[in-house]
């Protein structure tokens, strides 16, 4: 124990002597050595710095990967948007597909209305009232070059025309009603005592016979057919232009055979020509043409 204490004291003495003998230059050298050692210890920091670029590169790569993933996800969004746009576009044709149906319904409605308008236009274009006699007159017809029939236009008031037809010994008084689409016999009397005008305050009770009806002429089952409204018809009196030609088909009362009548009406003169064909077993044909107007 004593020996140990002796050694410790001598070591302490030596250390104190060494500390007293230390040269400043040695201290500077020691400081330089310490700095050198510290400088030698700094490269690990540089090593750490050299490791940082890798981490930075790794971080940049991770960022690039994230950006690439973001970019890759964005096209998916764009594809989604494209898909949604395509779905919207696919929905639009459905909407557009519905619109033609409405157009079809409207087209069919327009076709129906156009047909009605065509009929109305046909009637209005024909304008049967333009073919009324414009004043009292006497028209003489020759039937089959053998018999005469005299049509005396007695009076004209409004839509009504009163005429007296004399054929041999038979006298017939008629009142015709003219509209834009029809000509009808609304009063008829055979061998009347008085043939003077009866149109003052005249009111038809019923329609006796329909001579012309162009309102139904375009229908296949109509008994009236509008043949022409611009025809030029020649008569012994003169040639008439813009003549209305209408055909009427009916059944004979006795035989039930088809009877075809063709009428020619001239503007401002009324009837100027007529042809009747009976297709029955004992059928006949009657041609009546205008030979005189007074």
């Amino acid at each position: 124990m004593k020996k140990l204490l002796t050694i410790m004291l001598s070591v302490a003495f030596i250390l104190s002597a060494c500390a007293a003998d230390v040269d400043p230059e040695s201290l500077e050298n020691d400081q330089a050595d310490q700095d050198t050692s510290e400088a030698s210890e700094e490269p690990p920091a540089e090593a750490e710095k050299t490791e940082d670029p890798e981490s930075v590169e790794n971080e940049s790569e991770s960022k690039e990967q994230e950006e690439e993933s973001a970019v890759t996800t964005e096209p998916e969004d764009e594809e989604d948007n494209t898909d949604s746009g395509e779905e919207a576009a696919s929905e639009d044709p459905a909407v557009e597909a519905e619109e033609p149906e409405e157009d079809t319904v409207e087209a069919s409605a327009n076709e129906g209305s156009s047909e009605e308008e065509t009929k109305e236009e046909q009637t209005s274009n024909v304008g049967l009232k333009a073919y009324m006699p414009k004043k009292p007159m006497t028209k003489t017809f020759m039937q089959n070059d053998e018999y005469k029939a005299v049509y005396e236009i007695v009076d004209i008031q409004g839509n009504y025309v009163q005429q007296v037809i004399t054929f041999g010994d038979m006298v017939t008084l008629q009142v015709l009603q003219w509209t834009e689409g029809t000509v009808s016999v609304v009063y008829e009397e055979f061998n009347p005592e008085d043939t003077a005008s009866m149109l003052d305050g005249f009111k038809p009770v019923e329609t006796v016979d329909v001579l012309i009806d162009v309102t139904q002429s375009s229908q296949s089952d109509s008994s009236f057919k509008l043949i022409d409204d611009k025809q030029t018809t020649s008569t012994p009196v003169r040639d008439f232009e813009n003549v209305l030609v209408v055909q009427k088909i009916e059944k004979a009362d006795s035989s039930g055979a088809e009877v075809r009548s063709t009428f020619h009406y001239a503007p401002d003169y009324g009837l100027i020509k007529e042809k009747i064909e009976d297709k029955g077993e004992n059928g006949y044909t009657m041609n009546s043409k205008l030979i005189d107007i007074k």
Side-chain angles (χ1 to χ4, degrees):
M1 184 70 182
K2 291 179 179 181
K3 193 181 284 187
L4 179 61
L5 290 172
T6 302
I7 292 169
M8 291 177 64
L9 289 172
S10 39
V11 170
F13 179 78
I14 291 168
L15 289 174
S16 63
C18 292
D21 294 334
V22 173
D23 191 14
E25 293 179 358
S26 63
L27 292 174
E28 291 177 359
N29 293 329
D30 293 337
Q31 183 66 34
D33 292 337
Q34 185 177 0
D35 294 335
T36 303
S37 63
E38 289 177 358
S40 63
E41 291 177 357
E42 289 177 0
E46 292 178 359
E48 290 178 359
K49 291 181 181 179
T50 56
E51 291 178 357
D52 291 338
E54 292 180 357
S55 63
V56 170
E57 290 178 358
N58 292 330
E59 290 177 358
S60 63
E61 288 178 356
S62 63
K63 289 181 180 180
E64 289 178 356
Q65 290 177 355
E66 290 178 357
E67 289 177 356
E68 288 178 357
S69 63
V71 172
T72 55
T73 55
E74 287 178 357
E76 291 179 357
D77 294 336
E78 291 178 357
E79 290 178 358
D80 293 336
N81 293 331
T82 304
D83 293 336
S84 63
E86 290 177 354
E87 291 177 359
S90 63
E91 292 177 357
D92 291 337
V95 175
E96 293 177 358
E98 293 177 355
E99 292 178 357
E101 293 180 358
E102 296 178 356
D103 293 338
T104 303
V105 174
E106 292 178 357
S108 61
N110 291 331
E111 287 178 358
S113 62
S114 64
E115 290 178 358
E116 294 178 356
E117 289 176 358
T118 302
K119 292 179 183 178
E120 291 178 357
E121 287 177 0
Q122 186 183 45
T123 301
S124 61
N125 287 337
V126 170
L128 291 182
K129 292 179 69 174
Y131 299 89
M132 285 177 58
K134 65 179 180 180
K135 62 182 180 179
M137 65 184 72
T138 300
K139 298 182 293 185
T140 303
F141 292 84
M142 180 65 72
Q143 294 182 358
N144 292 344
D145 297 327
E146 295 182 10
Y147 308 103
K148 287 184 179 181
V150 179
Y151 285 64
E152 181 184 2
I153 308 301
V154 177
D155 194 12
I156 302 168
Q157 292 189 22
N159 293 345
Y160 299 107
V161 175
Q162 180 177 330
Q163 65 182 11
V164 177
I165 303 172
T166 302
F167 183 72
D169 295 334
M170 177 67 68
V171 178
T172 304
L173 186 153
Q174 291 180 336
V175 176
L176 308 182
Q177 183 179 29
W178 293 70
T179 68
E180 293 297 329
T182 61
V183 179
S184 304
V185 179
V186 294
Y187 180 83
E188 188 172 59
E189 183 180 353
F190 298 102
N191 297 320
E193 296 181 358
D194 187 3
T195 60
S197 176
M198 55 181 297
L199 296 183
D200 289 337
F202 175 79
K203 293 182 180 180
V205 177
E206 61 181 355
T207 298
V208 178
D209 187 20
V210 178
L211 302 179
I212 300 178
D213 186 354
V214 296
T215 61
Q216 305 296 325
S217 62
S218 61
Q219 297 183 6
S220 59
D221 58 347
S222 175
S223 58
F224 293 91
K225 301 296 179 184
L226 177 59
I227 306 302
D228 196 359
D229 61 351
K230 301 294 183 182
Q231 182 170 309
T232 299
T233 300
S234 298
T235 70
V237 175
R238 65 181 180 87
D239 293 342
F240 293 89
E241 297 181 351
N242 298 321
V243 173
L244 176 73
V245 183
V246 179
Q247 192 174 83
K248 180 181 181 180
I249 301 174
E250 55 189 344
K251 300 294 183 181
D253 294 335
S254 57
S255 61
E258 180 181 282
V259 178
R260 190 183 299 266
S261 302
T262 305
F263 305 97
H264 295 240
Y265 285 81
D268 299 330
Y269 288 94
L271 184 67
I272 60 170
K273 187 176 180 179
E274 180 180 6
K275 181 179 181 179
I276 299 175
E277 298 175 277
D278 188 335
K279 302 295 185 178
E281 184 177 355
N282 299 318
Y284 66 93
T285 299
M286 186 275 290
N287 286 297
S288 179
K289 55 186 177 181
L290 181 66
I291 62 171
D292 188 33
I293 298 177
K294 292 180 181 179

